Amino acid sequence: MPQVKPSVKLLEYTPNPERTIALAAKLCYSDATIENLQDGLDKSDVNKFIERLRSFGHASPFEHASFTFGIEGVSRSLLAQITRHRIASFSVKSQRYVAANKGEDTFNYVIPEAIEALGSQAVEKFQKQMATMHEWYTEWQSALGGACEKSNEDARFVLPNAAETKMIVTMNARSLMNFFNLRCCNRAQWEIRDVAWQMLELVLEVAPSIFGNCGASCVGGACTEGKMTCGKAGEVRARQRALIEKINSKK
């Protein structure tokens, strides 16, 4: 099926990310040597260090833990948004080296939720429009010499923002906190909000002490959107609590 939905996997992350951050914090506030830095650092100490960092607003130690995600089933529109988070590393499927219609009758694409909500007729209309764009893409490939790197790079200009892309994204914990603060918010665009909540669930499972208070700004305090607030802070907090309860129930 050409229609796709956002899907996120946690591929790799810093081993013992909470301990790594605690070690960095301990170094800042202790005269211990590097060799002795780990002495006496048990789980309770790790949690205390992380909580202390939050209370101090000391964020730099969180940069020592990184997390790598595989993201697929998302649109090029999302790509334009997520790459605005500049303290991150991105590797993205190329529309130049990979033909959009490779091995398929059409390219994969994302249908916006608002269009799906209009019903089957609206979805069918959208699908027909995607099919038309696929015809344009194929025509230009042919006119430019067939499906190859040279033709793909210019034929892709007729592809829509809805066209699917895949990417691998790496962020450190500090950048992820900022990402969740902005993108788990109800005012974030629906697709990147979906991806952000999936990412939050994945990191909560492996580093709950780091990300337990993460989410939209209203999760840990007052909404920062001012007059643009969605007015549903309680709903957002409830969703975050339900997510933590879901993860705890697996243990």
Side-chain angles (χ1 to χ4, degrees), residues 52-74:
R52 189 180 303 170
L53 291 174
R54 285 204 185 94
S55 66
F56 290 169
H58 186 182
S60 63
F62 290 94
E63 297 174 14
H64 292 284
S66 63
F67 300 79
T68 298
F69 305 87
I71 303 174
E72 58 186 340
V74 294

Side-chain angles (χ1 to χ4, degrees), residues 192-209:
I192 198 166
R193 187 171 68 247
D194 184 345
V195 166
W197 278 98
Q198 289 189 53
M199 291 168 67
L200 178 57
E201 179 173 357
L202 291 168
V203 296
L204 275 170
E205 291 180 348
V206 299
S209 295

Side-chain angles (χ1 to χ4, degrees), residues 17-33:
E18 295 164 320
R19 186 176 178 84
T20 299
I21 290 170
L23 285 170
K26 185 176 180 180
L27 179 67
C28 294
Y29 301 106
S30 168
D31 62 357
T33 65

